[in-house]
Amino acid sequence: MENKNTALVVGATGITGSNLAQELISQGWTTYGLSRNPNNAIENLIPIQADLLDVKSLESALEGISPTHVYFTTWMRNDTEEENIRVNSALVRNLLDVLSPKKSVRHVALVTGLKHYLGPFEAYAKEGKLPVTPVREEHPRLPLPNFYYAQEDEVYKASERDGFTWSVHRPHTVVGYAIGNLMNIASTLAVYASICKETGRKFIWPGSSEQWNGISDVTDARILAKQLVWASTTESAKDTAFNIANGDVFRWKWLWQRLADWFGIEATGFEDQIRPLEKEMENDQEIWKNIAHKYQLKEENLNRLSSAWHTDLDLGRPLEVMCDMTNSRNLGFSEYQNTERSFLDVFEKLRAEKIIP
């Protein structure tokens, strides 16, 4: 059956955007994917090349395109939070300003994350600013500069001006398949484990004791996609912020061993201090290049597959973190995803696609 909704996925090459595009297309949506370097790998996705910081580029790229639903899943990393605020608020503002005269947009969904509760990277969960967990959607904003807040405010202002509804989605660490993404824990751990297997190194836990021993959850990109579509098409879900995670909880001290078992390597847990993955892998580019040649893999550039800095931020937090999902559960969103399966599905796809041996 034909679906008359037209989606514009902003950031369609990322983990969230690519999985969302596939979900929308599977539900019969006409789906456009906007990015600086369009992804032609998703069947039936209509690629749009544009620079969100260049209004004329956006106007030209979106000429003749009138989306009913906009999904904003991208951001740009900068050196300071003040610069993050300036740049990332402009990304949202520019797009919504260009779309405003079309009067076609009925809903805008914005994906942010748990830094809404934990603080920005440079003040990341510092002592004295630790939230009570599980983090809840009702928690007030922190008294800190945060580009997530600036992006939300741009959506709110445009909503008042143009009359569309909105939703904000706050995933925990996103687990999913995507290559070249800046924040990809699954591919980072897959590459690290593959290096450990090839070199005989131990699969060393890089994070904190609190994360190792505490309860955690993560967000499969596929369940995030389902919540995005649900919220944007459910009347009772409009103008609401939603946490989103898989629906199960786990301890890394259990999952770390399960991941190691999949690769057939020896795992080492937390011992006496944090052992950052970025430092552990800092000299592995040549090793990976040799592995790629040996097994005829598609990508020999380690930096295209691994984002150790971001994995370190997630796993090095000085507290256990999990999400309360009251808002969406109360409104009937009941999707569930097993977390171990989230990781293994990505590993299996990476192997099938000749990304890892």
Side-chain angles (χ1 to χ4, degrees):
M1 186 173 69
E2 183 182 0
N3 190 317
K4 294 183 179 179
N5 292 325
T6 300
L8 176 63
V9 178
V10 186
T13 58
I15 300 177
T16 298
S18 59
N19 281 275
L20 172 60
Q22 292 176 76
E23 178 67 26
L24 289 162
I25 290 165
S26 76
Q27 294 193 28
W29 291 54
T30 299
T31 306
Y32 293 89
L34 188 152
S35 60
R36 281 179 295 178
N37 300 294
N39 183 352
N40 296 315
I42 299 175
E43 187 176 357
N44 295 321
L45 177 65
I46 307 164
I48 301 172
Q49 184 170 15
D51 181 350
L52 289 164
L53 292 175
D54 183 342
V55 171
K56 292 202 176 300
S57 164
L58 279 170
E59 288 173 341
S60 175
L62 293 170
E63 187 176 359
I65 299 171
S66 299
T68 58
H69 295 68
V70 176
Y71 301 92
F72 210 95
T73 73
T74 192
W75 71 289
M76 293 178 64
R77 187 187 185 199
N78 298 274
D79 290 338
T80 66
E81 194 60 19
E82 284 70 23
E83 192 66 4
N84 275 334
I85 289 169
R86 185 188 70 80
V87 171
N88 289 289
S89 61
L91 302 183
V92 177
R93 182 172 60 253
N94 290 348
L95 178 72
L96 297 181
D97 284 354
V98 168
L99 291 175
S100 181
K102 298 176 184 288
K103 302 191 182 303
S104 65
V105 177
R106 301 201 301 266
H107 187 90
V108 173
L110 173 68
V111 178
T112 61
L114 293 203
K115 289 190 297 299
H116 185 94
Y117 309 108
L118 300 175
F121 287 130
E122 59 198 52
Y124 208 46
K126 285 190 175 177
E127 203 63 42
K129 297 187 177 70
L130 302 180
V132 175
T133 59
V135 294
R136 300 178 184 275
E137 293 118 336
E138 67 200 40
H139 283 185
R141 290 181 174 184
L142 300 172
L144 294 168
N146 192 321
F147 81 85
Y148 284 171
Y149 305 161
Q151 287 189 311
E152 285 185 353
D153 289 342
E154 293 295 344
V155 172
Y156 301 155
K157 283 188 288 186
S159 172
E160 290 180 12
R161 178 190 68 200
D162 297 334
F164 58 73
T165 58
W166 55 265
S167 57
V168 176
H169 303 259
R170 300 169 185 156
H172 198 166
T173 302
V174 177
V175 178
Y177 178 84
I179 302 303
N181 186 270
L182 286 175
M183 303 186 296
N184 194 330
I185 190 172
S187 68
T188 298
L189 293 181
V191 168
Y192 173 48
S194 298
I195 290 171
C196 289
K197 185 167 188 175
E198 189 69 17
T199 60
R201 281 154 51 181
K202 292 182 179 179
F203 190 53
I204 298 172
W205 168 253
S208 66
S209 61
E210 293 87 349
Q211 283 285 295
W212 178 251
N213 292 305
I215 295 172
S216 189
D217 57 19
V218 297
T219 306
D220 192 298
R222 297 168 296 188
I223 206 168
L224 173 54
K226 289 182 184 298
Q227 193 196 60
L228 281 159
V229 179
W230 166 82
S232 66
T233 55
T234 300
E235 184 65 24
S236 60
K238 68 181 183 181
D239 301 341
T240 306
F242 299 103
N243 289 338
I244 175 63
N246 283 352
D248 62 359
V249 293
F250 65 93
R251 297 183 198 275
W252 275 106
K253 66 192 302 180
W254 169 81
L255 184 60
W256 195 250
Q257 183 63 56
R258 306 282 286 196
L259 302 186
D261 288 346
W262 193 87
F263 285 94
I265 55 180
E266 184 179 351
T268 299
F270 182 84
E271 292 180 348
D272 54 356
Q273 61 185 359
I274 290 175
R275 291 171 287 182
L277 191 56
E278 191 166 26
K279 181 171 176 56
E280 176 69 17
M281 297 180 71
E282 64 183 352
N283 297 316
D284 285 346
Q285 173 57 62
E286 196 61 30
I287 292 172
W288 182 255
K289 188 174 181 180
N290 292 335
I291 290 172
H293 288 172
K294 178 178 177 180
Y295 295 99
Q296 298 182 305
L297 304 180
K298 289 181 180 177
E299 181 58 68
E300 65 177 32
N301 184 348
L302 184 63
N303 294 326
R304 286 265 301 156
L305 302 175
S306 169
S307 50
W309 66 273
H310 189 264
T311 297
D312 284 339
L313 282 171
D314 275 351
L315 302 184
R317 293 172 182 154
L319 75 167
E320 63 177 17
V321 182
M322 75 293 297
C323 300
D324 178 88
M325 288 178 58
T326 293
N327 281 358
S328 61
R329 293 299 190 229
N330 279 345
L331 294 173
F333 182 78
S334 59
E335 296 284 348
Y336 168 85
Q337 169 65 45
N338 175 273
T339 288
E340 182 182 8
R341 194 68 252 167
S342 290
F343 280 94
L344 300 191
D345 284 351
V346 175
F347 296 166
E348 287 167 4
K349 184 160 186 178
L350 289 169
R351 182 168 285 173
E353 295 290 329
K354 298 289 288 183
I355 305 298
I356 63 172

